[in-house]
Amino acid sequence: MSRKPPPRRTAPSLAKNANPGRWEGKAKPDWLSRAIARAGVMPQDEAQEAIQAGRVTVNGRVVKQPLAPVPPGATVRVDGVALPTAAPTRVLAFHKPAELLTSTVGQHRVGTVYEVLLPQLPPDLARFTWHAVGRLDRGTTGLLLFTNDEKLVAHVTSPDTRLPKRYVATVFSEADEEKVEPLRQGLELEDGPVRPATVRLRDAHTVEVTVTEGRNHQVKRMLGAVGLPVRALHREAVGGVELDVAESGFRLLSDAEVTEGLRYPLPPAPG
Ligand code: URA
């Protein structure tokens, strides 16, 4: 009998409904397929299949529901092999070409960044579930980070982290110091004031803009607001991580780049 695959991304509510308040004040449980993917054993869709095939146990009992909550401290085994307790945080720097959509995990459709990134990954990286760290518009090129650690996504994209993101925009009209000055002072956009940006004119049609937030279409809207509509946009750096791979290529960041470049503390390596 074929079993209908479970709906994706509904586990938090499932965990809540199963026993409201049960996890209050404690670490929240992960759900089974996600716990396996987070541990870097296999991607989440493969984990779902392994669970439904009866290959996974939690504390010694076979569990066939991919969305079953995994209590903190539980021992999960896949084909008899226990999950490593904590997956290492990994971050990839990808050079996004134009005309690819930054989709969310689970939407690895044709025309998305995943279509170009995933086939390149060696087996030791392909086993993780990769999340894009923020978004770039379809036409925007440049540095797009991916990670297996959702907390790192939240850290890098939070405006509170104030991690600088450096863009270079090619603009239709001629830019000059007077036109870009309001960007340095801090502009008011439809969704509220934006923080002052660091702006440098590289030439009359090329403007470097560094922002410490990441709102939708922020750089284009900022430049549009000062009469400099954007023809092309490219991201050169996120925090201390500079784009240094060829278009469509990727590389794995070192732990030092993650801790210093992205200001994200990592636990000390075991041993
Ligand atoms: N700002 C934009 O306007 N677009 C992007 O893709 C990124 C930042």
Side-chain angles (χ1 to χ4, degrees):
M1 194 178 72
S2 77
R3 201 180 274 245
K4 218 171 136 210
R8 284 177 184 271
R9 310 194 145 278
T10 52
S13 60
L14 175 132
K16 228 188 301 154
N17 294 342
N19 195 345
R22 183 167 161 207
W23 304 103
E24 243 161 59
K26 299 183 192 167
K28 278 203 183 123
D30 221 340
W31 69 87
L32 192 51
S33 60
R34 198 166 81 160
I36 295 170
R38 277 197 174 152
V41 174
M42 57 182 71
Q44 202 165 323
D45 46 358
E46 280 180 37
Q48 287 185 2
E49 286 166 21
I51 295 163
Q52 286 164 341
R55 292 165 49 201
V56 176
T57 60
V58 178
N59 290 336
R61 294 180 56 189
V62 172
V63 174
K64 290 193 169 181
Q65 283 79 38
L67 297 184
V70 181
T75 302
V76 176
R77 291 178 189 271
V78 180
D79 298 329
V81 179
L83 294 192
T85 41
T89 293
R90 294 283 178 254
V91 184
L92 306 177
F94 174 65
H95 187 156
K96 179 188 174 296
E99 303 317 322
L100 286 185
L101 194 70
T102 310
S103 57
T104 54
V105 64
Q107 296 180 306
H108 299 175
R109 298 187 311 265
V110 174
T112 72
V113 286
Y114 289 100
E115 194 199 2
V116 176
L117 175 68
L118 296 183
Q120 304 183 50
L121 298 180
D124 62 320
L125 295 176
R127 65 201 172 103
F128 293 113
T129 297
W130 293 102
H131 306 272
V133 181
R135 311 176 73 85
L136 290 179
D137 295 338
R138 188 192 286 268
T140 301
T141 57
L143 180 59
L144 181 61
L145 301 174
F146 286 84
T147 183
N148 63 330
D149 179 348
E150 287 160 282
K151 288 198 184 108
L152 184 140
V153 176
H155 164 84
V156 170
T157 55
S158 166
D160 296 339
T161 310
R162 291 180 178 260
L163 211 57
K165 285 112 188 167
R166 192 175 78 236
Y167 294 86
V168 57
T170 309
V171 293
F172 285 103
S173 345
E174 282 204 4
D176 58 33
E177 294 295 341
E178 199 182 330
K179 275 193 184 158
V180 300
E181 190 53 29
L183 304 179
R184 297 178 175 132
Q185 303 304 322
L187 279 176
E188 186 76 29
L189 294 179
E190 317 86 76
D191 52 352
V194 282
R195 289 184 187 143
T198 305
V199 183
R200 208 164 63 86
L201 288 182
R202 292 192 181 172
D203 63 45
H205 289 280
T206 315
V207 188
E208 178 190 304
V209 181
T210 303
V211 295
T212 57
E213 305 156 278
R215 296 197 215 156
N216 260 354
H217 314 301
Q218 180 172 341
V219 175
K220 288 181 193 159
R221 290 192 291 137
M222 287 168 72
L223 285 162
V226 297
L228 296 170
V230 171
R231 181 202 287 267
L233 189 62
H234 179 76
R235 183 154 71 186
E236 293 184 330
V238 174
V241 178
E242 299 275 336
L243 182 64
D244 57 3
V245 288
E247 192 172 89
S248 298
F250 83 96
R251 76 176 176 87
L252 180 65
L253 299 190
S254 67
D255 285 356
E257 287 175 295
V258 175
T259 52
E260 289 154 33
L262 302 179
R263 299 187 215 138
Y264 186 71
L266 293 173

